[in-house]
Structure formats: structure tokens, C-alpha cells
Amino acid sequence: MELEEHMLFVLLANILLGANSLHLSPMISSVFQSEYFLNDSCDLSLRCHGINDVISYSWYQNGSQIKGNKEIVANKDTGELLISKNCTYDLLGIFYCIAENKYGSTVSPFVKISEPVLNSFDLTHRLDVVVCTENEHCQLNCTGKPICEPHAACELTWYQGSGTQDSISSSERTAIDLEGNLHFLNVSEISGNKKYACGIWNERMNTLRQGDLITLIINDSTTAPLLRAIYHSRSKALLGKSAVLECIFSGILVSEIKWENPNGYYITTNDKYRIGPYGRQLQVMNVTYNDEGNYSCHVNNLTQTPFLNVTSPPIFPENNSSFLTKTINISTDDAVNLNCNAVSLPTENAPVVTRWMKNGILISSFQDFEFQLLDNNRVLRIYRAHLEKGGAFQCVTENSEGIAVANFLIELENVKGNGIKLMIIMISSVVVGLVALVTLCVIIRKRISQRNKSWKTETEVYTNIYTQPSEEFDEHQRRSDEEIHLEDIYSTVEEARFNHMTQSIEDHVGDNNTEAEDLGEYDVLRGKRQNEELRPSENIYDRTKNVSGIYDNLYTI
């Protein structure tokens, strides 16, 4: 039975696999970040991995294949890209991998490799002295800020004095906004006549850059301080990442800051939102397009409206991703259109298709009617006569936030003779289906037959056994015909033996024979029995040894 079921399973599996097996280019399964930064030792390793009988890998940098040198090596067998040793400008740029098999080649997502950066402050527009009024709001700007990358490794700090020993952090009286400016919410005289400077630390580079010193002078106040709304942010976040918005109010007594989302609902700390110390910052987790818009922050009768812009590289609607692999089955002699239909978020500019490729190689000519570009390069028209053995086509599209790649895997059918081919496929499918159905029916019939036999053996009972209607026979109460017949015979034998013994005892009690006389009678009878002269009616019970050979012979079953 198990063998038959296994054969049926294999048969059905072969049917399904045979119907769906395609001779396609590889599919790349690696997931890359959009940008990587080299560390101090310039070590970076990326691994490209494809499925569907990959024969070899190759890596490209800025459109040119990497041949291999001392600083950068591409392994064609494992798909590994290794950057090591000296950091030079030649190691940077846009990289991608191509996976190849005998049916064609596909392209990986594009990756930007950069070096960490922290330039020096631009001191051409520095401001040496700032004058503020006591108990009023006072702002020191961090001017000439340098570029610092990666952004996640950069931290801005304000220092008092010329060194870095006395740092200033946000408190009830001070705040540092998202642009790096320092705010004294109600500045006191004690903060005056001192020098301040902003600095930026790049953790990846272990480097600090400081701006020029600013001298703060505090004048006496002649009026009572007022509550003022002094800062709100315009923040940007990538789709799926987190965002930070900020509101700052000044005054001696600033009550709790309340936040509202773009739909007008008040916000409390939960899995979606986190409100920072003093209520000035709002963190939005795992942003979606619906999170974009104007938020509101309130203190007393003052309101500010920070804005959140949600951005993303181009996205393909088929999988809501910036990387798409799609199979295209071509069964016509007509021209075929491939649509690079990536989109940007509604507030972003539409993506631009920058290149079309075949098997990872740039298509440079569209003048010989093998290919045509339509709809502002978003559609590639391919004529079947030039598809050859299928392969794969790629489109690369970009917007201000990144690059998206689509692979179109071509499965080419032979149009000529399609009618005969379709008939053969249909006949084969019917035959295979019938074989599978017959095999399944045989298996089911055998199982039903075995279950019926088992049920009959376990449930049949003899007709002369009486059972109360309320009784239920279990397996121990059911008896076979043979067992019942043996019990009847045994009962009959036992009854005859008991009657014979009773009669013999009565006869013995009624006569006056001695034991010697009984023994004599027994010897006579035994002699007759041995000579076959004794009739069955002359049987006598042996009262001496309790044995009767004649009795046993009469009731032998």
C-alpha cells in the first residue's frame, strides 16, 4: 500500500513539475542595502547569490566589469565582492552583480559604496558675538556645518569654552534643534560673557570637527518674558524607517506640549509614536505614506505645525519593492512590450528610466528596429525575430531617493506548430490524468475492502446469543461460531459425565459387592474390551482409579 501511494505521489509530482518547468535565467535572492560606507581599514564584503543553475557571477563598477586587482576582487564562482587594503577614490561608485546560466543573465539591485566623510567647518560667514536679553529666548546658530556621512554615525554637540570638557545638553532651560542650533529658552545672566562652539563627531571616522567660538553677552531685562513659539522642523524619512519631528517653545514656565497627527488625533506614546523628554520631539516609527503631512504641537494657545515628508526610491506596484523579477511568457509572433512601470510616492517627482539592458549588457542602439523605446523610455518594444533564445531584459529607473531594477525573464514558445503541440499536450494530460485516477481508485477500493473484512470479523455474533437492547458488545464480548460450538459440545459432555457418575454411585450403593469383587468385575470387563467382545451398553464406571477407557471412547469429539 505504501509503495502504491508513493508511486502515485511521484506521478502527480512529475505532472506538476513537467507542466511548470521553465528554462529561465537565474533569479537573484541577495538583499543589499542601498548604500555601504567603508570603515577605517577599507574592508567590505558583499555576496551575490542566485538560484536556478547559476554558472558564474560577475560584478560591475560604474558600468564596467571588475577584472580584479589588489584592492578589489570579484569571485566568479561564489559571487563575493571583496574590497580591502588601501582606501582610494577608485573603490567608490555604483556596483551591481550579474548572475548567469545557459539561458541568460539577471542583474542584482544597484548598490552605492561610499567612504565616510567629515569635512571642516566653513568659517567664512562666522558670527563672533551674540547679544541677548535676560529671561528672553536666545539662539546661537551652528553656522558653516560640514558634510558628515553616514548620517547615523554623526552627532552634533555644543561646548562651553574652547575645549570639549564642558558639553551642553538639552534641559528644561536649553534645547538643541534638529538643525543643530542652540536655544536658551529663558537665558539668565549667568550664561553671559562666555564663549560657545558647536562640534560634530563622526563615529565611523573617530573624528571631531569644531566650529568657531561665539561670545554671548546678556543685557538686563526691563519687561516680563512672554511664552513664544520659536521652532518647528521640516523632517524627511524613507518609507519604512523612523522619523523625528520637533517643536520648541520659550518662556519661564512652559506647560506640557501636546501633539496631534495629520488626522487631528492626539498622540500618546505607543508602538507607533514616542514622545521625547520635555515633549519637544515626536518620533514616528515605521513610517508609511499615510504618515506624511502636517503635525500639530500645542502649548496653551500657541500652535506650531511641523511637516513630515515620506520619501522612497522608485517602487514597482507588482511587489511594492524597488527590485522586481518577473517572468514573461511569449507565445505570439507579434511584438512584445516590456513596461518599466515603477512609481514614486505622490509628493515625489516621477522616476526616470535611465537604461535598458539585455542579459546585463546595455542596449545602446534602438535604430535597427530590433528594439523600440516608447512612452518616454518606460516601454521597450521587442520584435520576436530578435528574441533568439529568450534570456532576460532589465530596466533601471531612478528618482531623487534611489535606484530601482526590474528583471524580465523571457520564456519563449514555438508559435509554428502550436496547434499540434497543444493537441499533444492535451492528449498527454488526459492519459496521465486517467492513469492517476485509476491508480487512486484501486488504492481506495483496496482500503474499503480491507476495512469491510475487518469490521465483519469483529462484529459478527452467533444468532442464539440473546443481548439486552441496551447492551453494547465490545471486542471482548464478541465470539466466533467455532467458540460457541465448542462450548455447546463441552456442556453436553460434562452433563453426560455427571449423569453417568451419579448412576454409577447409586448402583454401587445399592449392591453389596466388596472391593475385591469390584476389582474382579473390572478385570473381566477389561478383558472383554481388549478382545472387542464388550457392547457399549455394558460399560461400567471404574470406581477404583476414576478412569474409564470405554467412557472416553463413547464421547470422543
Side-chain angles (χ1 to χ4, degrees):
M1 180 65 67
E2 292 181 357
L3 179 60
E4 293 171 347
E5 292 178 350
H6 178 70
M7 293 175 62
L8 179 61
F9 173 80
V10 172
L11 178 62
L12 296 176
N14 287 331
I15 295 172
L16 296 176
L17 291 175
N20 292 282
S21 62
L22 299 175
H23 295 165
L24 297 175
S25 304
M27 290 186 290
I28 293 179
S29 57
S30 301
V31 178
F32 299 121
Q33 299 178 19
S34 59
E35 186 173 12
Y36 291 88
F37 289 88
L38 299 175
N39 54 26
D40 291 339
S41 58
C42 291
D43 293 333
L44 179 64
S45 176
L46 299 178
R47 181 72 176 271
C48 182
H49 182 262
I51 57 178
N52 193 17
D53 298 329
V54 177
I55 297 176
S56 64
Y57 298 92
S58 56
W59 277 91
Y60 286 72
Q61 178 189 15
N62 299 325
S64 300
Q65 185 175 357
I66 298 172
K67 300 298 184 180
N69 51 52
K70 294 181 179 180
E71 288 78 22
I72 183 168
V73 178
N75 191 313
K76 68 176 183 179
D77 298 319
T78 64
E80 182 181 22
L81 176 71
L82 181 62
I83 298 176
S84 60
K85 297 185 179 179
N86 298 325
C87 285
T88 64
Y89 182 78
D90 295 336
L91 302 179
L92 309 178
I94 303 298
F95 291 73
Y96 60 87
C97 166
I98 292 180
E100 179 183 1
N101 66 12
K102 62 182 179 180
Y103 302 112
S105 303
T106 51
V107 177
S108 74
F110 280 39
V111 173
K112 183 179 181 181
I113 296 181
S114 307
E115 61 179 350
V117 176
L118 179 56
N119 297 328
S120 298
F121 276 79
D122 181 6
L123 303 179
T124 57
H125 301 286
R126 63 186 183 182
L127 186 61
D128 295 332
V129 179
V130 173
V131 180
C132 293
T133 302
E134 185 180 10
N135 294 330
E136 295 289 341
H137 167 252
C138 181
Q139 178 175 331
L140 303 182
N141 294 326
C142 185
T143 57
K145 293 190 300 294
I147 296 175
C148 185
E149 292 180 345
H151 181 73
C154 300
E155 182 180 2
L156 187 143
T157 306
W158 277 86
Y159 302 95
Q160 181 180 310
S162 58
T164 59
Q165 292 80 13
D166 297 328
S167 61
I168 301 172
S169 57
S170 294
S171 65
E172 194 172 6
R173 297 174 63 92
T174 60
I176 300 175
D177 64 37
L178 297 181
E179 298 175 17
N181 301 319
L182 174 63
H183 299 266
F184 294 95
L185 303 182
N186 51 328
V187 67
S188 62
E189 186 176 358
I190 195 174
S191 300
N193 298 320
K194 295 179 180 178
K195 297 182 181 295
Y196 299 87
C198 62
I200 298 179
W201 167 259
N202 189 318
E203 184 179 6
R204 184 68 66 89
M205 299 176 61
N206 293 320
T207 303
L208 175 67
R209 296 281 189 264
Q210 254 184 310
D212 202 9
L213 291 170
I214 301 174
T215 300
L216 177 60
I217 299 175
I218 305 298
N219 293 330
D220 293 336
S221 175
T222 58
T223 59
L226 298 175
L227 183 66
R228 296 173 55 194
I230 61 174
Y231 174 84
H232 65 275
S233 63
R234 284 187 62 85
S235 303
K236 183 171 75 171
L238 285 174
L239 189 70
K241 304 298 183 179
S242 61
V244 177
L245 297 92
E246 188 173 40
C247 283
I248 299 176
F249 296 86
S250 70
I252 294 179
L253 296 175
V254 178
S255 59
E256 180 184 3
I257 299 176
K258 295 182 179 180
W259 287 85
E260 291 182 17
N261 65 18
N263 296 322
Y265 295 104
Y266 280 102
I267 295 173
T268 58
T269 296
N270 52 38
D271 292 338
K272 181 66 177 178
Y273 302 106
R274 295 177 185 174
I275 299 176
Y278 313 106
R280 296 173 192 150
Q281 290 189 348
L282 173 68
Q283 186 175 12
V284 184
M285 313 299 293
N286 190 26
V287 298
T288 66
Y289 171 69
N290 294 329
D291 293 320
E292 183 171 271
N294 286 304
Y295 290 71
S296 299
C297 50
H298 309 277
V299 170
N300 295 343
N301 59 344
L302 297 179
T303 299
Q304 299 189 85
T305 55
F307 181 77
L308 175 59
N309 174 219
V310 179
T311 65
S312 170
I315 293 175
F316 295 100
E318 288 91 336
N319 62 351
N320 290 323
S321 172
S322 295
F323 184 69
L324 172 68
T325 300
K326 184 177 182 179
T327 301
I328 305 295
N329 184 276
I330 299 178
S331 58
T332 175
D333 278 331
D334 298 332
V336 175
N337 291 339
L338 302 181
N339 296 292
C340 191
N341 58 345
V343 298
S344 294
L345 294 180
T347 56
E348 300 290 333
N349 293 328
V352 176
V353 177
T354 59
R355 71 189 76 179
W356 281 92
M357 310 166 81
K358 181 180 180 181
N359 293 324
I361 306 300
L362 180 67
I363 300 175
S364 57
S365 175
F366 297 91
Q367 305 301 323
D368 54 4
F369 298 103
E370 292 185 14
F371 311 104
Q372 278 187 306
L373 288 178
L374 307 172
D375 191 16
N376 198 25
N377 296 342
R378 294 171 60 87
V379 177
L380 177 66
R381 175 168 291 179
I382 311 170
Y383 293 93
R384 180 184 172 89
H386 302 286
L387 281 173
E388 300 175 354
K389 296 182 180 180
F393 290 83
Q394 295 83 31
C395 80
V396 181
T397 180
E398 303 179 24
N399 66 8
S400 60
E401 301 302 325
I403 302 174
V405 176
N407 285 281
F408 302 96
L409 310 185
I410 304 300
E411 173 68 10
L412 198 61
E413 291 188 2
N414 184 11
V415 178
K416 296 180 180 180
N418 263 0
I420 298 176
K421 180 179 178 180
L422 181 60
M423 183 178 298
I424 294 174
I425 293 174
M426 292 178 63
I427 294 174
S428 300
S429 300
V430 171
V431 172
V432 172
L434 290 174
V435 172
L437 182 61
V438 170
T439 306
L440 185 62
C441 290
V442 170
I443 294 173
I444 294 174
R445 184 174 181 181
K446 286 186 177 181
R447 285 192 171 183
I448 294 175
S449 177
Q450 289 179 353
R451 289 180 180 176
N452 287 341
K453 289 181 179 179
S454 175
W455 177 258
K456 182 176 180 180
T457 302
E458 293 176 355
T459 57
E460 277 191 344
V461 295
Y462 200 70
T463 56
N464 65 352
I465 298 178
Y466 174 77
T467 305
Q468 293 292 338
S470 60
E471 288 185 42
E472 294 183 3
F473 281 91
D474 59 17
E475 294 183 357
H476 298 289
Q477 290 174 310
R478 299 189 181 99
R479 298 177 299 168
S480 64
D481 293 341
E482 185 178 357
E483 290 174 338
I484 296 173
H485 183 60
L486 289 174
E487 286 184 10
D488 290 342
I489 295 175
Y490 180 78
S491 299
T492 304
V493 172
E494 287 297 310
E495 183 178 358
R497 179 181 294 177
F498 176 79
N499 292 337
H500 181 77
M501 289 176 60
T502 303
Q503 184 63 40
S504 298
I505 292 171
E506 290 177 353
D507 293 341
H508 179 70
V509 171
D511 64 25
N512 295 321
N513 290 347
T514 64
E515 183 177 353
E517 292 173 341
D518 290 335
L519 290 175
E521 291 178 2
Y522 174 80
D523 292 335
V524 173
L525 290 173
R526 183 173 59 182
K528 291 183 179 182
R529 179 69 179 88
Q530 292 174 352
N531 297 325
E532 299 297 331
E533 297 176 359
L534 182 66
R535 295 188 306 274
S537 60
E538 296 177 350
N539 178 43
I540 183 171
Y541 181 73
D542 187 346
R543 293 184 298 272
T544 305
K545 302 294 182 179
N546 290 328
V547 175
S548 175
I550 298 174
Y551 178 84
D552 292 341
N553 187 51
L554 288 175
Y555 292 94
T556 300
I557 297 175

